[in-house]
Amino acid sequence: MFFSFKTTIAMNTSNIVVRFFLLFSLIGIVSAQLSATFYAKTCPNALSTIKTEVVSAVNNDRRMGASLLRLHFHDCFVQGCDASVLLDDTSSFTGEKTAGPNANSLRGFDVIDTIKSKVESLCPGVVSCADILTVAARDSVVALGGASWTVPLGRRDSTTASLSSANSDLPGPSSSLSALISSFSNKGFTAKELVALSGSHTIGQARCVTFRRRIYNDTNIDSSFATSLQANCPSTGGDSTLSPLDTTTPNTFDNAYFKNLQSKKGLLHSDQELFNGGSTDSQVNAYSTNPAAFKTDFANAMVKMGNLSPLTGSSGQIRTNCRKTN
């Protein structure tokens, strides 16, 4: 009887421990989830403030929409969506701004600074730089004619950045299809989502240095298209001369990018790799004839990208200045 009583106590104690473990596990899961209403009570005007500033910035410079979208992508692919890309170098670490894919290329930092300043004046220490980046990316797409989507919120900001990860995790303009698929797969994306997200190149511009090799050496390029680009991108020099990624409607978020690929008018080598006799050709064809499907898939893929390893709960911090830790 005594033995049985001890056993009962042990079993009850064990059950209590298990229940507490499950409870705290569930609490952890809940706290780690992002929510569209995260700032509804703590900073109700945050989203409208971000939108106003993005629309203003894009109206002043149509290219800025693509730049803000790209900032978000380059943030999320390195350490997750934690605003690490915004950090300036310090004595303790070298930030990501000087990484190969980012140096002399990323822009829009001043717009994020302006947004952060406005939001801080409304709700000090509440809205993260990581969330501002995510919302600004969505608002940029909408400002240029793309579809909207609901952005889950609640990210916090990192206290460090990774130059090495930026150099290794971000796909380059000369990437092969297999390299692109691998790079996106490493972040949990399918080949279909790779194609959808690549559609962001329906807006924005690229520097001569990123497509020079393609327009002089690639064979899967429309000859007249290559010749027209060579006029502004010489074989040597002029590295920073710009050309639109989508030569048809460079400032409108539509599906023209995919039609350009069908005509062998992808600006970057990595762009044309998506339509070059490989496994993603069929998806390019699908998006070229169905703009609604592209916009839907793009929006869903953007939500998924925004969920890449966010810092939540007590992790990270809410930076007062997006360029440096508190």
Side-chain angles (χ1 to χ4, degrees):
M1 184 68 180
F2 183 67
F3 175 79
S4 176
F5 180 65
K6 283 181 64 179
T7 303
T8 302
I9 292 176
M11 288 176 65
N12 287 340
T13 303
S14 177
N15 286 337
I16 291 171
V17 171
V18 169
R19 286 173 184 173
F20 268 102
F21 176 78
L22 288 173
L23 175 63
F24 282 109
S25 294
L26 287 172
I27 290 173
I29 290 170
V30 172
S31 68
Q33 286 180 340
L34 303 178
S35 164
T37 58
F38 190 81
Y39 298 114
K41 294 181 178 179
T42 55
C43 196
N45 294 322
L47 297 188
S48 60
T49 301
I50 296 171
K51 181 177 180 179
T52 297
E53 294 303 319
V54 168
V55 170
S56 176
V58 173
N59 285 340
N60 289 333
D61 175 7
R62 301 299 282 177
R63 184 187 169 206
M64 187 55 68
S67 297
L68 292 174
L69 177 58
R70 187 164 180 255
L71 258 186
H72 177 50
F73 168 66
H74 281 230
D75 177 41
C76 292
F77 259 53
V78 182
Q79 295 189 172
C81 306
D82 60 358
S84 61
V85 72
L86 302 178
L87 288 171
D88 288 337
D89 296 351
T90 70
S91 57
S92 59
F93 69 85
T94 302
E96 297 162 19
K97 293 180 178 179
T98 55
N102 297 339
N104 303 312
S105 174
L106 283 186
R107 57 197 296 271
F109 297 108
D110 54 336
V111 175
I112 299 299
D113 288 340
T114 299
I115 295 172
K116 179 62 174 174
S117 177
K118 294 287 179 69
V119 173
E120 279 295 305
S121 67
L122 288 175
C123 322
V126 173
V127 182
S128 68
C129 301
D131 275 346
I132 289 174
L133 274 179
T134 313
V135 175
R138 187 271 310 274
D139 291 346
S140 294
V141 171
V142 174
L144 293 174
S148 184
W149 60 88
T150 300
V151 177
L153 301 164
R155 298 165 192 80
R156 290 168 64 84
D157 302 324
S158 67
T159 55
T160 187
S162 176
L163 176 69
S164 60
S165 293
N167 279 320
S168 64
D169 292 6
L170 291 165
S174 61
S175 298
S176 65
L177 178 60
S178 61
L180 290 170
I181 290 174
S182 177
S183 177
F184 277 74
S185 177
N186 288 340
K187 303 299 178 182
F189 292 103
T190 64
K192 180 179 180 180
E193 290 167 332
L194 154 66
V195 177
L197 289 171
S198 296
S200 62
H201 285 183
T202 189
I203 54 174
Q205 302 184 52
R207 295 176 300 148
C208 165
V209 68
T210 64
F211 59 84
R212 175 183 286 121
R213 186 181 301 175
R214 167 158 169 73
I215 64 175
Y216 286 99
N217 297 332
D218 283 5
T219 56
N220 61 341
I221 186 170
D222 179 85
S223 58
S224 60
F225 177 62
T227 300
S228 66
L229 290 168
Q230 289 169 4
N232 291 317
C233 181
S235 55
T236 56
D239 284 2
S240 295
T241 303
L242 298 170
S243 287
L245 287 157
D246 170 6
T247 186
T248 310
T249 50
N251 293 316
T252 302
F253 199 94
D254 54 21
N255 69 331
Y257 167 81
F258 301 106
K259 297 178 180 180
N260 293 337
L261 297 185
Q262 291 176 317
S263 302
K264 298 185 178 181
K265 294 181 179 178
L267 182 64
L268 305 179
H269 177 86
S270 55
D271 287 327
Q272 197 60 57
E273 280 289 285
L274 299 179
F275 192 82
N276 191 36
S279 60
T280 52
D281 283 16
S282 59
Q283 196 57 53
V284 171
N285 286 333
Y287 288 151
S288 72
T289 58
N290 193 337
F294 160 57
K295 289 186 176 182
T296 297
D297 289 351
F298 179 81
N300 289 335
M302 285 297 292
V303 172
K304 183 173 178 177
M305 187 171 75
N307 285 333
L308 284 177
S309 306
L311 297 173
T312 59
S314 58
S315 300
Q317 60 182 216
I318 305 296
R319 286 189 225 135
T320 302
N321 180 337
C322 291
R323 294 175 180 263
K324 60 183 182 180
T325 59
N326 297 340

